[in-house]
Amino acid sequence: MRLKPSRRTAIDRFLLTLHIALTSAPSIEPTSPLPAARSLLKKKHVATPWAFPAPLADANWKVAFDAPSEVTLVGSYALQTSVKPPDGLPWTLDLALTMPSTLFQEKDYLNGRFAHKRAFYLAALAAHLLGQGYSVQWSTPGADSRATVLLLDP
């Protein structure tokens, strides 16, 4: 179904505000994974959704955060159509964020490092968005902790 123009206007305004919030996120310098996650938990009260197994305390790689290099609207709304959700369920929009290539190293495909860096990236993003007034929740589609997504409620 196609959305009414009045609803599209409100959604487009929200998406513009969200895009500005996402691209203005402050950087976090490279740090070991567990101390970086502890810092987010202590300062912003955001837990990092590590994939199993969680990184070790003596990990010789680092996690960092920079604003997304690309924010893309995906799914049916990008085509100006949508599927009406069952009664009582909210409408949803899907965004895909591209992590900057500077956050990765050559061997991040080993031992789940990519999943861990992605989890920290999502936690840092959640901490930033909480400070911007958004409600944030984690969701793990298919119970796969490597595919954790961030759900926002304006």
Side-chain angles (χ1 to χ4, degrees):
M1 74 184 303
R2 291 202 182 271
L3 295 172
K4 295 177 185 176
S6 61
R7 290 192 184 213
R8 279 200 310 240
T9 304
I11 292 171
D12 290 343
R13 196 174 322 117
F14 164 73
L15 287 172
L16 179 61
T17 305
L18 179 60
H19 185 273
I20 292 168
L22 291 171
T23 56
S24 68
S27 298
I28 296 176
E29 294 299 317
T31 338
S32 293
L34 294 182
R38 262 187 251 118
S39 174
L40 278 180
L41 186 59
K42 188 176 183 181
K43 292 179 184 174
K44 305 284 186 164
H45 304 290
V46 174
T48 304
W50 298 120
F52 183 79
L56 301 174
D58 63 347
N60 61 355
W61 48 274
K62 299 182 185 292
V63 294
F65 179 83
D66 279 324
S69 58
E70 191 174 327
V71 179
T72 308
L73 181 62
V74 296
S76 60
Y77 186 77
L79 300 172
Q80 297 299 319
T81 61
S82 187
V83 175
K84 185 175 180 180
D87 292 335
L89 292 178
W91 292 85
T92 59
L93 301 174
D94 298 323
L95 291 177
L97 305 180
T98 304
M99 293 172 62
S101 61
T102 56
L103 300 179
F104 297 107
Q105 297 171 329
E106 185 177 323
K107 294 188 178 185
D108 280 347
Y109 66 91
L110 296 172
N111 301 326
R113 280 199 302 198
F114 172 79
H116 294 314
K117 287 187 175 189
R118 181 182 180 276
F120 178 78
Y121 191 85
L122 284 174
L125 194 61
H128 172 68
L129 291 173
L130 277 172
Q132 300 289 313
Y134 293 92
S135 171
V136 178
Q137 294 179 355
W138 301 117
S139 177
T140 51
D144 184 0
S145 62
R146 296 169 298 172
T148 299
V149 295
L150 194 58
L151 301 177
L152 301 179
D153 192 5

